[in-house]
Amino acid sequence: MIDIRPVANIIGWLLAALGMIMIVPAIVDFWAGNPDWRVFMISAFITVVAGGLLILATSNAQGSGLTLRQSFLVTTLSWTVLPVFGAIPFEMALEHVNWTDAIFEAMSGITTTGSTVFTGLDAMPPGILLWRSTLQWLGGLGIVLVALIFLPVMKVGGMQHFRSEGFDTMGKVLPRAADISWMLLQIYAGLTILCAAAYVLTGMSVFDAVNHALTTLSTGGFSTRDTSFALYDSAAHWVCVIFMWLAGLPFIRYLQFINGSYRPLFNDIQIRAYFRWTLYAIGAVFAYRLLREDTAVEGMFRESAFNVVSMFSGTGFGSADVSAWGDFPILVLVVAGFIGACTASTGCSIKVFRYLVLFEAIKAQLKQLVYPNRVIPLHLDGRRLDEEVVVSVVVMFTAFVVGFGVLTVLLSLAGLDMRTAFTAAWTSICNVGPAWGSEVGPTGAMNEFPVFAKWLMIGAMMMGRLEMVAVLVLVLPRFWRG
Amino acid sequence: MIDIRPVANIIGWLLAALGMIMIVPAIVDFWAGNPDWRVFMISAFITVVAGGLLILATSNAQGSGLTLRQSFLVTTLSWTVLPVFGAIPFEMALEHVNWTDAIFEAMSGITTTGSTVFTGLDAMPPGILLWRSTLQWLGGLGIVLVALIFLPVMKVGGMQHFRSEGFDTMGKVLPRAADISWMLLQIYAGLTILCAAAYVLTGMSVFDAVNHALTTLSTGGFSTRDTSFALYDSAAHWVCVIFMWLAGLPFIRYLQFINGSYRPLFNDIQIRAYFRWTLYAIGAVFAYRLLREDTAVEGMFRESAFNVVSMFSGTGFGSADVSAWGDFPILVLVVAGFIGACTASTGCSIKVFRYLVLFEAIKAQLKQLVYPNRVIPLHLDGRRLDEEVVVSVVVMFTAFVVGFGVLTVLLSLAGLDMRTAFTAAWTSICNVGPAWGSEVGPTGAMNEFPVFAKWLMIGAMMMGRLEMVAVLVLVLPRFWRG
Ligand SMILES: [K+]
Ligand SMILES: [K+]
């Protein structure tokens, strides 16, 4: 049996923190004269008490450190328990919102997916809007920490490749995980403040700027507007493009950058591939539209860049009705979403690193076919790729692909049309945000989806965010034994 | 440099054989009083002469055996050169058919895909219809021989797992490849004759019965009717279900069965999984329709079984308008097509064996995550799975998935609607046959597809049939060097 006390202890602390943060929207609503401040105070109270009780009940377990299995449990439980408590304000404040919708929205927030079941965002009280954005910002921070601290040790999706990069290399400068986390928080908060300031300069209101900055840096994609970015100025679009793209870079590079190592940021093979592929995708969409449409070139280029970067980074903001561009641009966007940004960013999906490993594996396999008796070692960026990393990556890729297929079929069984089922499966497993199809509302909301479909997506968002295998390992009976 | 003379020599012999076989439709057309017999005789002459010249030019290379690289070259060239010559009768006999369409049809034949660009099949002369069916039958025989003789040595898609099963185990009984090929031909022909006889018993005309038997055992799916199987009796449907399913079994098991080893056929883990999965898929489609439709139960069950087995085996016959059943049944059919039947059958796609290996790899990886320091060997059916086999399988799977994604995007760029692009990419890479979407004609024909889309599909059918990697290896520059 696993000792779950240290796990419960951490969940307790996370809940207590989440409850404390709920006071921020309470203050905003109080200040705006909105009665919802009571809801947030009650939710904060419930969450802090629940967290406090967990901490008290498990206080004897503190300081004992986590085993490997406990790490797996902490990761999955964090992304299961926190959304439930994060959903309390939605359920209490909005009368037409039931528990399914509230948990959907909170899970979509914490996993930085950005799919929404809410409509009429423009008329919503500021506290609720801020809470949605805050959940995404916290979820983005959380996933970067998990990717830096847990995944390399858990060896999920080939992340052990970065083991020596994270704490070991950094170790000379920053000996402890708490230090890294603290620096990371500063970088993440700093970028968010920069982004918000830039939005304000483009003419966005301070409230909108803060919310969109929170959901840009987390590649979350929740907006305070039903029309997402379509309403804003072209300057705001470019600010968004830049920060969405930056949010897709490995945050460890920013840490190194700030500590005086500039080269890793510019020499990272993953960042370079991400840069090239983004340009190719923008070029393909822009060229296609240029040949077929007769609208202003600047707008066409900006919209192409905005929506490609939005999908590639997994943010999911929209600036235009992309479904009017034709099927080829949409497919490019879908493929971009299936790729995703860099590892250890706030971005999601399979990620550039894993495609680089897959392509290396295919190349090596083809060479192997020509030289059957030669040992062909795999390299990435001059560094040896462990066989273990390759297997780990292909297993994660296979789990993603098979999971996507199964989810599409199940969503269709739940009653969604094929196009909706396909894009909803994609958007939830890859944590992108938008979906297209007849059941999707005019503002992109998924409130009309059947309940069963919503729950399937809730599960898929969570599994996709934790790179599938980190959750699947819990279904092994032997995980719980001995 | 590779010595291509032995390769050209084999291609020469194959062309000569193909040319001789063209005399059969010539005789049929002559007997039916159709002027096309001249076309077939001219085509036969051209093909035999081309083959003969190749044989003569390379006669000094005979008997030298094939190196590994020559084996790769023979495989890809067979599925490239033969379709071109096989297309000659189509181009010459049918005036509205250009080279693109003729080669599409011949490639769809030899790869046993079964997609067609021809309409008005019911009114077509018998020689042309028989030639289409014959191409599929030959392609089916060819791929089983390749799977038994070449792929295990070429180590494509993990087929080295079966190395000891084919010639080594059988070696005690049948020492030479020629013997196996001969026995295989007898089994394949025997099953085809059985199938044709059964069709005749259900009331099908002898001509239709022979043609459909040729395309059933090859899991090809060309029909002599625009409406495919919808016209025929329910007994014909059941005969077809049985033989399509049997065509999806590993032919090596039939060889063993005939040689007195009955157990391998019934104990094969791949066959058992294929059996179970087929039943699950039929059950899912049937149950879904039962709950939603108000038609006769027998017909509903028969149609469900027919179309599921048709897609799972990769045959592609149709007995009903499946798009009217709703999106869930179609997705089940699409998933079945992505799975495919057993290795070393005439069936196509990724195949059950590879999914079994992938699932084992995922299970082993999850165990590895729990026990990071333990060595976890992979087993399939009590037999050790080589790491090499696993890597080979996942690389083939990845190549299929990435290839499918790229092809869908390119087909959409060629001008196809998203649904059409998606199903056309699926049907050509998985060699299934049908596609759904606005550009597909009322009889399922793809004659209205843009020329670029047709050529993309021609390439994809060939690559899919040769399990992707067997073709991709030719693009390595070092394949041609040294
Ligand atoms: K997102
Ligand atoms: K077929």
Side-chain angles (χ1 to χ4, degrees):
Chain A
M1 269 300 295
I2 304 170
D3 181 9
I4 62 156
R5 283 171 308 162
V7 175
N9 189 266
I10 292 181
I11 300 294
W13 281 106
L14 290 174
L15 279 180
L18 188 75
M20 296 303 288
I21 296 169
M22 283 177 187
I23 297 174
V24 180
I27 294 169
V28 171
D29 262 350
F30 183 80
W31 186 68
N34 191 288
D36 280 353
W37 68 269
R38 286 170 219 272
V39 166
F40 280 104
M41 288 310 291
I42 295 166
S43 307
F45 179 76
I46 295 170
T47 310
V48 171
V49 167
L53 287 176
L54 268 180
I55 296 169
L56 284 177
T58 57
S59 56
N60 54 337
Q62 234 177 338
S64 58
L66 289 182
T67 67
L68 187 62
R69 293 184 205 196
Q70 287 167 343
S71 304
F72 278 109
L73 213 48
V74 151
T75 320
T76 298
L77 277 180
S78 302
W79 265 265
T80 319
V81 176
L82 268 62
V84 173
F85 284 86
I88 297 175
F90 298 137
E91 209 280 332
M92 286 174 71
L94 306 165
E95 50 179 318
H96 58 285
V97 166
N98 57 25
W99 273 111
T100 298
D101 282 2
I103 291 177
F104 183 101
E105 200 77 5
M107 183 62 92
S108 174
I110 290 187
T111 57
T112 76
T113 305
S115 303
T116 185
V117 283
F118 290 179
T119 52
L121 295 175
D122 300 76
M124 278 213 177
I128 289 289
L129 292 174
L130 183 62
W131 184 235
R132 291 167 82 241
S133 312
T134 305
L135 283 174
Q136 294 209 318
W137 194 79
L138 294 173
L141 179 64
I143 206 66
V144 174
L145 290 174
V146 165
L148 283 177
I149 299 172
F150 286 102
L151 297 187
V153 184
M154 285 160 32
K155 300 189 176 181
V156 164
M159 290 296 283
Q160 58 267 47
H161 185 68
F162 301 105
R163 213 165 177 175
S164 60
E165 287 213 350
F167 292 96
D168 293 357
T169 316
M170 298 300 301
K172 293 160 201 161
V173 189
L174 301 159
R176 279 159 306 138
D179 283 345
I180 288 210
S181 307
W182 175 238
M183 282 208 63
L184 206 76
L185 179 62
Q186 288 177 296
I187 290 167
Y188 188 53
L191 283 170
T192 309
I193 292 166
L194 262 180
C195 178
Y199 280 144
V200 170
L201 287 181
T202 68
M204 218 184 263
S205 76
V206 173
F207 182 76
D208 280 10
V210 168
N211 277 283
H212 284 113
L214 290 172
T215 61
T216 302
L217 264 300
S218 58
T219 68
F222 273 154
S223 175
T224 54
R225 304 290 177 174
D226 278 323
T227 50
S228 196
F229 262 70
L231 188 82
Y232 298 111
D233 201 72
S234 65
H237 289 174
W238 285 117
V239 168
C240 188
V241 167
I242 291 165
F243 282 94
M244 287 193 290
W245 198 80
L246 289 178
L249 302 191
F251 273 71
I252 193 83
R253 299 284 169 256
Y254 294 126
L255 248 82
Q256 293 169 320
F257 189 83
I258 285 192
N259 280 289
S261 320
Y262 308 118
R263 297 189 63 195
L265 182 64
F266 298 105
N267 286 345
D268 188 327
I269 188 179
Q270 189 178 199
I271 296 179
R272 295 163 78 119
Y274 179 42
F275 185 69
R276 279 198 313 277
W277 298 356
T278 308
L279 288 189
Y280 297 156
I282 294 173
V285 171
F286 177 58
Y288 183 86
R289 296 188 61 201
L290 205 59
L291 291 172
R292 292 166 50 108
E293 290 175 39
D294 196 26
T295 46
V297 173
E298 189 278 329
M300 213 189 278
F301 179 69
R302 178 170 40 81
E303 284 172 352
S304 304
F306 186 92
N307 288 281
V308 164
V309 173
S310 177
M311 298 304 148
F312 226 131
S313 63
T315 310
F317 283 134
S319 77
D321 177 18
V322 292
S323 59
W325 298 354
D327 283 339
F328 172 72
I330 290 202
L331 279 170
V332 172
L333 296 180
V334 168
V335 169
F338 269 123
I339 299 174
C342 305
T343 47
S345 71
T346 61
C348 33
S349 192
I350 294 166
K351 298 190 187 78
V352 171
F353 164 69
R354 289 174 185 121
Y355 282 93
L356 294 176
V357 172
L358 289 172
F359 294 154
E360 281 304 308
I362 292 179
K363 263 202 290 185
Q365 169 74 5
L366 294 179
K367 281 185 206 164
Q368 188 78 75
L369 295 181
V370 180
Y371 305 114
N373 302 318
R374 217 180 271 181
V375 174
I376 301 192
L378 270 74
H379 288 93
L380 192 64
D381 200 19
R383 223 176 108 197
R384 177 74 189 272
L385 266 179
D386 272 356
E387 183 93 11
E388 191 193 80
V389 170
V390 178
V391 171
S392 179
V393 166
V394 291
V395 163
M396 188 260 197
F397 178 77
T398 307
F400 245 87
V401 171
V402 173
F404 169 75
V406 171
L407 184 62
T408 305
V409 173
L410 289 177
L411 284 173
S412 153
L413 186 60
L416 293 181
D417 166 276
M418 199 187 284
R419 193 182 183 105
T420 322
F422 182 86
T423 52
W426 164 79
T427 217
S428 43
I429 277 201
C430 301
N431 302 116
V432 181
W436 297 278
S438 50
E439 290 95 344
V440 180
T443 64
M446 300 168 198
N447 50 316
E448 300 289 348
F449 280 20
V451 174
F452 180 43
K454 286 176 183 168
W455 280 103
L456 284 169
M457 287 180 73
I458 289 170
M461 290 190 276
M462 191 267 280
M463 291 185 69
R465 180 77 277 195
L466 299 179
E467 323 238 287
M468 300 294 283
V469 279
V471 180
L472 283 176
V473 72
L474 300 189
V475 305
L476 278 189
R478 69 180 64 202
F479 179 87
W480 303 96
R481 269 189 259 126
Chain B
M1 270 299 296
I2 304 170
D3 181 9
I4 63 154
R5 284 170 308 162
V7 175
N9 191 264
I10 292 179
I11 300 293
W13 280 106
L14 291 175
L15 279 181
L18 188 74
M20 297 302 289
I21 296 168
M22 283 177 187
I23 296 173
V24 179
I27 293 169
V28 170
D29 262 351
F30 183 80
W31 185 68
N34 191 288
D36 280 353
W37 68 269
R38 287 170 219 271
V39 166
F40 279 104
M41 286 312 288
I42 296 167
S43 308
F45 179 76
I46 295 171
T47 310
V48 170
V49 166
L53 287 175
L54 268 180
I55 296 170
L56 284 176
T58 57
S59 55
N60 55 337
Q62 232 177 339
S64 58
L66 290 181
T67 67
L68 188 62
R69 293 185 204 197
Q70 287 166 343
S71 305
F72 277 109
L73 213 48
V74 151
T75 319
T76 298
L77 277 181
S78 302
W79 265 265
T80 319
V81 176
L82 268 62
V84 173
F85 283 86
I88 297 176
F90 297 138
E91 210 281 331
M92 286 174 72
L94 305 166
E95 51 178 318
H96 58 284
V97 167
N98 57 27
W99 272 112
T100 298
D101 283 2
I103 292 178
F104 184 100
E105 199 77 5
M107 184 61 94
S108 173
I110 290 187
T111 57
T112 75
T113 305
S115 302
T116 185
V117 283
F118 291 178
T119 53
L121 296 175
D122 300 76
M124 280 216 175
I128 290 289
L129 292 174
L130 183 62
W131 184 235
R132 290 167 83 241
S133 312
T134 305
L135 283 174
Q136 293 209 317
W137 194 78
L138 294 172
L141 178 65
I143 206 66
V144 175
L145 291 174
V146 164
L148 282 177
I149 299 172
F150 287 103
L151 297 187
V153 184
M154 287 163 27
K155 300 188 177 182
V156 163
M159 290 296 282
Q160 59 268 44
H161 185 68
F162 300 105
R163 215 165 178 176
S164 61
E165 288 213 351
F167 292 97
D168 293 356
T169 316
M170 297 300 300
K172 292 160 200 163
V173 188
L174 302 158
R176 279 158 307 137
D179 282 345
I180 288 210
S181 306
W182 176 238
M183 282 208 60
L184 206 76
L185 178 63
Q186 288 177 296
I187 291 167
Y188 187 54
L191 283 171
T192 309
I193 291 165
L194 261 179
C195 179
Y199 280 144
V200 170
L201 287 180
T202 68
M204 217 185 263
S205 76
V206 172
F207 182 74
D208 280 11
V210 169
N211 278 283
H212 284 113
L214 290 173
T215 60
T216 302
L217 264 300
S218 57
T219 69
F222 274 155
S223 175
T224 54
R225 304 289 177 176
D226 279 324
T227 51
S228 195
F229 262 70
L231 186 82
Y232 298 112
D233 200 73
S234 65
H237 289 174
W238 284 117
V239 168
C240 188
V241 166
I242 291 165
F243 282 94
M244 287 192 292
W245 198 81
L246 289 178
L249 302 192
F251 273 69
I252 194 81
R253 299 283 170 255
Y254 293 127
L255 248 83
Q256 293 170 319
F257 189 82
I258 284 193
N259 281 290
S261 320
Y262 309 117
R263 297 188 64 194
L265 181 64
F266 299 104
N267 285 345
D268 188 327
I269 189 180
Q270 189 178 197
I271 295 179
R272 294 163 77 120
Y274 179 41
F275 185 70
R276 279 198 313 276
W277 298 355
T278 308
L279 289 188
Y280 297 156
I282 294 173
V285 171
F286 178 58
Y288 183 85
R289 295 187 63 200
L290 204 58
L291 290 172
R292 294 165 50 107
E293 291 175 38
D294 196 25
T295 46
V297 173
E298 189 277 330
M300 214 189 277
F301 180 69
R302 178 169 39 82
E303 284 172 352
S304 305
F306 186 93
N307 289 280
V308 164
V309 173
S310 177
M311 299 303 147
F312 226 131
S313 64
T315 310
F317 284 135
S319 77
D321 178 18
V322 292
S323 59
W325 297 355
D327 283 340
F328 172 72
I330 289 202
L331 280 170
V332 171
L333 296 179
V334 167
V335 168
F338 269 123
I339 299 174
C342 304
T343 46
S345 72
T346 62
C348 33
S349 193
I350 294 165
K351 299 191 189 78
V352 171
F353 164 68
R354 292 178 183 118
Y355 282 92
L356 295 176
V357 172
L358 290 171
F359 294 153
E360 281 304 309
I362 292 179
K363 262 202 292 186
Q365 169 74 8
L366 294 178
K367 280 185 207 165
Q368 188 78 74
L369 295 180
V370 180
Y371 305 115
N373 302 317
R374 216 178 273 180
V375 174
I376 301 194
L378 270 74
H379 289 93
L380 191 64
D381 200 18
R383 225 177 106 195
R384 177 75 189 271
L385 266 178
D386 272 356
E387 183 93 12
E388 190 192 81
V389 169
V390 178
V391 171
S392 179
V393 165
V394 291
V395 163
M396 188 259 197
F397 178 76
T398 307
F400 244 88
V401 171
V402 173
F404 169 75
V406 171
L407 184 62
T408 305
V409 173
L410 289 178
L411 285 173
S412 152
L413 186 60
L416 293 181
D417 166 274
M418 197 187 285
R419 193 182 184 106
T420 323
F422 183 85
T423 52
W426 163 80
T427 217
S428 42
I429 278 202
C430 300
N431 303 115
V432 182
W436 297 277
S438 50
E439 290 96 343
V440 179
T443 63
M446 299 169 197
N447 50 315
E448 301 288 347
F449 281 20
V451 173
F452 180 44
K454 285 177 183 169
W455 280 102
L456 285 170
M457 288 180 72
I458 290 170
M461 290 190 273
M462 191 266 279
M463 291 185 68
R465 180 76 278 194
L466 299 179
E467 323 237 284
M468 301 294 284
V469 278
V471 180
L472 284 176
V473 72
L474 301 190
V475 306
L476 278 190
R478 69 180 62 202
F479 179 87
W480 303 96
R481 272 189 259 126

